[in-house]
Amino acid sequence: MVARQTGDDKLVCIQQLRSQLEEYPPFQDEYLERFLIARSWNVEAAKMQLVASLEWRKENGIDVYPVADGKNNLPVLYPVRGYKSLPDQNLTAQPGVSEAVLRIYRYMGGSCLHKVDKDGCPIYIERLGYHKAKDLAKHTTAEEIYHYHVGCNEFLHRVVMQDCSAAAGRVINRETVIFDCTGMGWHQFHMPAIQLIRTIADVDQKYYPETLNKLFLVNAPGAFVYVWKLVKGWLDPGTISKIKILGSDYKQELLDQIPAENLPTFLGGTCECDHVSGGCVPSQVLKNTEPVVPGQANEQVVTAYNSDIMDRAKTNPDYRGACRFGID
Ligand SMILES: [Zn+2]
């Protein structure tokens, strides 16, 4: 199979892949399609990746990883704004969230899952330029980052994507990401910190393929913009159309993809979220919100939630959100 496919070819591939997965519960077309796109529509390769991801989920208990769904009173792992199923809230030192998550979060420049773009996809904003890269590498472990990332991914797919799908009236399984590089300097290019990013990228590529709608890197240093112009020529057109690396002249590009009322003012929109501490994107580093200090109720474990919650989620489906990860 070649990478360019007509609509009919795609359906044939999806059917072929489905017919080879009869021992599993029926998957949504959209779920199968993600693995096919990741493997350039090679059905055999897509099947191998999908089966490997199902095995990873089973071996590591990912299907029973707890997620906050607005009904089970679990605390969220990062701030959320603008979704029906959850009230707008921040990550706090509520009982249940592990000490490791709060420690990681302390050194992050600020992050938030903030409303939806014009395609109905959730928008994840991260103030990358303010990350304390050296502290992150020094005071956290790859295992803790891995668990935090998996916890966030599961919450995104099982709760927020379900919420966005219900609002849009169709399957939403991709997110739009804005990385704001404001504040970025050479100190961010710290090898141990880059290793941590590799841990995350590796998990995403293998087990959560094709979950990106658009990626905007804004306020990028000039060298980035220049290198991107060179690299673009080598990449698949599908990937290039998803990624925009922009300097200070980014506002119109963001507004083409995101309604102004869903975009924070600091990125050129009109949203301020002044009903929540920290506004649109709370940041411990920028101190625009109160510090989150771990207490006795935040257990020192590598997982994102305390061990009693990790255990409860294994037997109680109320702790697992909609739990329809790609299954019809
Ligand atoms: Zn906002």
Side-chain angles (χ1 to χ4, degrees), residues 17-164:
L17 180 54
R18 187 188 294 285
S19 69
Q20 293 182 35
L21 295 164
E22 275 170 355
E23 68 267 41
Y24 297 98
F27 295 102
Q28 287 171 344
D29 280 5
E30 292 83 354
Y31 189 68
L32 300 177
E33 190 182 30
R34 278 177 36 204
F35 286 85
L36 284 161
I37 294 172
R39 305 267 53 98
S40 304
W41 295 93
N42 179 318
V43 175
E44 193 50 40
K47 182 192 167 189
M48 278 173 65
Q49 186 174 355
L50 203 155
V51 169
S53 90
L54 295 174
E55 275 165 12
W56 170 76
R57 297 185 68 81
K58 203 172 157 192
E59 276 167 23
N60 297 282
I62 308 297
D63 287 327
V64 294
Y65 215 102
V67 290
D69 70 355
K71 293 191 289 272
N72 58 21
N73 289 322
L74 279 188
V76 289
L77 299 178
Y78 51 154
V80 288
R81 309 280 187 264
Y83 306 106
K84 218 173 174 180
S85 45
L86 295 138
D88 292 353
Q89 58 194 296
N90 289 342
L91 168 63
T92 63
Q94 281 180 72
V97 63
S98 76
E99 179 273 336
V101 164
L102 302 179
R103 185 160 23 87
I104 293 165
Y105 189 68
R106 186 177 153 196
Y107 302 116
M108 286 178 67
S111 65
C112 186
L113 208 48
H114 186 275
K115 303 188 169 182
V116 294
D117 70 1
K118 290 181 181 173
D119 297 322
C121 298
I123 305 164
Y124 175 69
I125 304 172
E126 195 169 290
R127 304 200 73 173
L128 207 65
Y130 292 113
H131 279 349
K132 290 188 163 179
K134 278 187 187 162
D135 285 322
L136 262 174
K138 193 174 166 193
H139 300 293
T140 68
T141 67
E143 200 184 4
E144 289 167 345
I145 299 268
Y146 162 88
H147 277 284
Y148 182 46
H149 187 62
V150 166
C152 291
N153 270 356
E154 291 300 310
F155 166 71
L156 173 68
H157 285 272
R158 287 194 238 148
V159 180
V160 177
M161 297 286 197
Q162 299 299 324
D163 187 293
C164 294

Side-chain angles (χ1 to χ4, degrees), residues 114-115 271-273 280:
H114 186 275
K115 303 188 169 182
C271 190
E272 295 202 334
C273 287
C280 298

Side-chain angles (χ1 to χ4, degrees), residues 116-122 168 170-172 176 213-214 257 259:
V116 294
D117 70 1
K118 290 181 181 173
D119 297 322
C121 298
R170 62 196 155 78
V171 174
I172 299 289
T176 284
N213 186 45
K214 301 272 177 188
Q257 183 66 31

